[in-house]
Amino acid sequence: FRKPLIVMSPKSLLRHKQCVSSIDEFTKNEFMRVIPEQSQDIVPPAQVRRILFCSGKVYYDLLDYRKEKKINDVVLVRVEQIAPFPFDLLLQEINKYPMAELVWCQEEPKNSGAWIYVRPRFETTIQHSSRHVDIKYVGRGPSAAPATGSAKIHKQETDKLFHSAFSEHHIT
């Protein structure tokens, strides 16, 4: 039977130059539950210091920031399917980068994005890996509202998010 294609996306991604797929990706390939790092400009896996797991529009913002700052030791892994959770594919990504700090990054407030759902699932995945680390969170703090209502505060929070995500310091 036929399945409808439902796209839930901000309008900005409809025009984003990097947010495209070829016809073959729709007809010859299957859905990618996890999209691993795509760049060829990243250091070897043993030298990667952080994996940023994310979903949605924030990926493109992180990608632009990484390119602008010429950072090559942080990889971006897109989790395209949150449920059912892709334990197997994320385990491969975690094991691929043995020295990397693991971080979930989201633009939404901590209490309204995917973090609450993915955290225990990442913890289960990590238990099955050869690593004994925790997954950290980078994003906005908890909030009763999805947006600040102030463009200036929104920009400050966004800048802080990117700085924290790519910071040289360990995330606590």
Side-chain angles (χ1 to χ4, degrees):
F1 74 97
R2 295 176 4 177
K3 296 179 186 174
L5 172 64
I6 299 171
V7 179
M8 295 177 62
S9 157
K11 286 189 265 183
S12 64
L13 290 185
L14 295 174
R15 294 176 206 88
H16 199 288
K17 291 179 174 121
Q18 293 178 316
C19 186
V20 295
S21 297
S22 68
I23 298 286
D24 285 345
E25 288 178 294
F26 283 102
T27 58
K28 296 193 168 92
N29 296 334
E30 57 186 43
F31 177 72
M32 295 179 70
R33 298 177 294 149
V34 171
I35 301 176
E37 176 60 56
Q38 303 290 300
S39 176
Q40 302 300 316
D41 300 329
I42 298 296
V43 297
Q47 296 174 5
V48 168
R49 68 180 168 86
R50 184 171 296 151
I51 306 171
L52 293 178
F53 296 98
C54 61
S55 184
K57 177 187 176 293
V58 74
Y59 167 78
Y60 295 98
D61 297 334
L62 292 167
L63 187 64
D64 291 342
Y65 184 90
R66 183 178 73 178
K67 188 175 184 178
E68 175 189 323
K69 301 293 185 187
K70 297 179 172 68
I71 298 169
N72 67 352
D73 59 352
V74 175
V75 299
L76 302 175
V77 175
R78 289 184 274 177
V79 183
E80 295 291 306
Q81 176 179 298
I82 303 288
F85 197 73
F87 293 98
D88 55 337
L89 299 175
L90 291 173
L91 182 61
Q92 289 174 18
E93 293 302 307
I94 290 167
N95 287 334
K96 188 188 302 182
Y97 305 101
M99 304 304 291
E101 183 177 23
L102 309 179
V103 177
W104 175 261
C105 189
Q106 69 182 33
E107 194 173 22
E108 300 85 6
K110 191 174 189 176
N111 59 328
S112 65
W115 173 243
I116 293 170
Y117 179 81
V118 301
R119 182 181 183 185
R121 287 153 183 83
F122 266 107
E123 289 169 351
T124 300
T125 304
I126 293 165
Q127 287 175 0
H128 290 89
S129 76
S130 56
R131 314 273 309 277
H132 299 290
V133 295
D134 292 324
I135 185 151
K136 307 292 196 239
Y137 170 82
V138 167
R140 299 182 197 283
S143 175
T148 64
S150 163
K152 181 180 177 183
I153 294 172
H154 178 79
K155 172 116 175 66
Q156 289 172 344
E157 288 180 349
T158 303
D159 291 346
K160 181 181 175 189
L161 184 150
F162 295 140
H163 178 73
S164 297
F166 291 99
S167 169
E168 295 284 336
H169 304 292
H170 284 285
I171 297 168
T172 55

